[in-house]
Amino acid sequence: MEKLWVIGIGAGDPDQVTVQAIKAMNQVDVFVVIGKGAEKQELVDLRTAILAEHVERPYRVVEVADPPRERRPDDYGSTVDDWHDRRAEVLGRVFDDITGTAGILVWGDPSLYDSTLRIVERVREKAQFDYEVVPGITSIQALAARHRIVLNRIGEPVRITTGRRLHDETVTNAVVMLDGDCAFTEVPGDDVDIWWGAYLGMPDEVLVSGSLRDVEGDIQQVRSELRDRKGWIMDTYLLRRR
Ligand SMILES: C[S@@+](CC[C@H](N)C(=O)[O-])C[C@H]1O[C@@H](n2cnc3c(N)ncnc32)[C@H](O)[C@@H]1O
């Protein structure tokens, strides 16, 4: 492999693919897509549609099955570490077989809760190749734009965290991602507002906002109905204490 492009493609809206991403995609001979199982086929399809729309030269797509991973391990850190090793092994083998330029399309931006760059660095411990990163629109930016909000009040910090860690955090402004358990219901107090979005930028997008205590039940219900209907859900939200 001559070179690898790691390209952020935005969080679901095909119009949020940047010009820089399109230019990078048009230098790639082989796109490596890491599949995550049938339930997220819609996301794989979206990547395929982005390529079909923007790439004007011949290319190949190689789909790689993601090695299985324990979802709720006792030792989260070492389980994920081991999973990254297995992913790096699989990717290393795929890269070995590529002549020319490879590309990996990353959901949103590669800098935010995504392991691609860490795994690429692991592959590079055993193989030499150059790589470049192209930023993408994150789900956080998509959330803020759709709700027409600024993430912080003037001069305040914003914390980006996960559902799993939310209980440890003091909420002033907290953006929460990767929350499978509606962790917002555990946040105490009647003085918190929420701006929630699911499938941002996609045809099934749903937005809910308001006082957390007033709307948390609605969000739980909508979230569970949507997840049952589609088989998967991606949602992000901002919490802010008044
Ligand atoms: C593994 S992280 C990837 C984040 C991605 N790199 C980014 O820049 O947005 C997946 C989480 O991102 C959030 N997410 C990604 N796309 C989303 C979308 N279209 N709508 C709502 N949340 C989304 C959800 O919190 C989801 O659990």
Side-chain angles (χ1 to χ4, degrees):
M1 183 176 68
E2 281 163 25
K3 178 170 179 168
L4 171 68
W5 287 93
V6 177
I7 306 169
I9 55 165
D13 183 342
D15 285 351
Q16 285 170 4
V17 178
T18 68
V19 176
Q20 191 183 20
I22 294 170
K23 285 182 180 168
M25 283 184 232
N26 277 285
Q27 297 187 49
V28 170
D29 299 306
V30 181
F31 289 96
V32 179
V33 174
I34 305 175
K36 295 206 174 175
E39 81 277 13
K40 288 191 184 171
Q41 187 58 40
E42 216 175 324
L43 306 187
V44 177
D45 291 346
L46 194 115
R47 285 194 182 97
T48 311
I50 287 174
L51 291 179
E53 187 176 339
H54 295 297
V55 182
E56 289 165 351
R57 70 200 287 268
Y59 61 87
R60 272 194 312 129
V61 177
V62 175
E63 198 161 326
V64 183
D66 216 9
R69 168 189 166 189
E70 208 185 320
R71 280 285 150 193
R72 289 177 190 270
D74 294 335
D75 184 349
Y76 185 76
S78 77
T79 305
V80 171
D81 198 53
D82 174 59
W83 182 56
H84 285 179
D85 267 345
R86 282 181 288 132
R87 279 182 129 187
E89 243 175 70
V90 173
L91 265 191
R93 281 198 294 274
V94 172
F95 289 167
D96 277 350
D97 290 341
I98 293 176
T99 36
T101 308
I104 298 181
L105 304 184
V106 174
W107 196 254
D109 183 77
S111 70
L112 191 66
Y113 291 116
D114 187 276
S115 301
T116 307
L117 297 180
R118 275 188 284 264
I119 292 162
V120 166
E121 279 302 329
R122 284 195 195 193
V123 180
R124 268 172 31 114
E125 287 167 11
K126 296 187 182 139
Q128 277 192 337
F129 56 87
D130 180 27
Y131 77 105
E132 218 169 304
V133 179
V134 177
I137 301 286
T138 70
S139 49
I140 298 180
Q141 291 161 296
L143 176 80
R146 293 297 289 134
H147 280 290
R148 303 186 296 190
I149 48 165
V150 181
L151 296 175
N152 59 290
R153 283 169 297 207
I154 296 171
E156 283 183 351
V158 181
R159 187 178 287 266
I160 300 174
T161 189
T162 63
R164 192 188 292 263
R165 295 294 298 270
L166 183 60
H167 64 280
D168 296 343
E169 320 278 8
T170 319
V171 172
T172 306
N173 302 286
V175 175
V176 185
M177 307 175 72
L178 292 161
D179 179 8
D181 294 320
C182 296
F184 48 81
T185 58
E186 306 294 322
V187 172
D190 291 330
D191 57 347
V192 178
D193 291 318
I194 184 168
W195 290 264
W196 178 83
Y199 314 107
L200 291 157
M202 307 174 84
D204 292 311
E205 181 183 88
V206 186
L207 303 171
V208 176
S209 63
S211 165
L212 177 60
R213 295 285 91 92
D214 289 347
V215 298
E216 62 188 344
D218 294 346
I219 296 175
Q220 275 179 298
Q221 194 184 339
V222 171
R223 195 181 185 284
S224 123
E225 280 168 13
L226 288 169
R227 199 189 40 201
D228 289 350
R229 181 158 62 82
K230 286 174 69 76
W232 61 278
I233 188 159
M234 279 203 297
D235 57 337
T236 305
Y237 52 90
L238 172 72
L239 294 175
R240 171 176 297 154
R241 205 169 283 284
R242 263 170 254 140

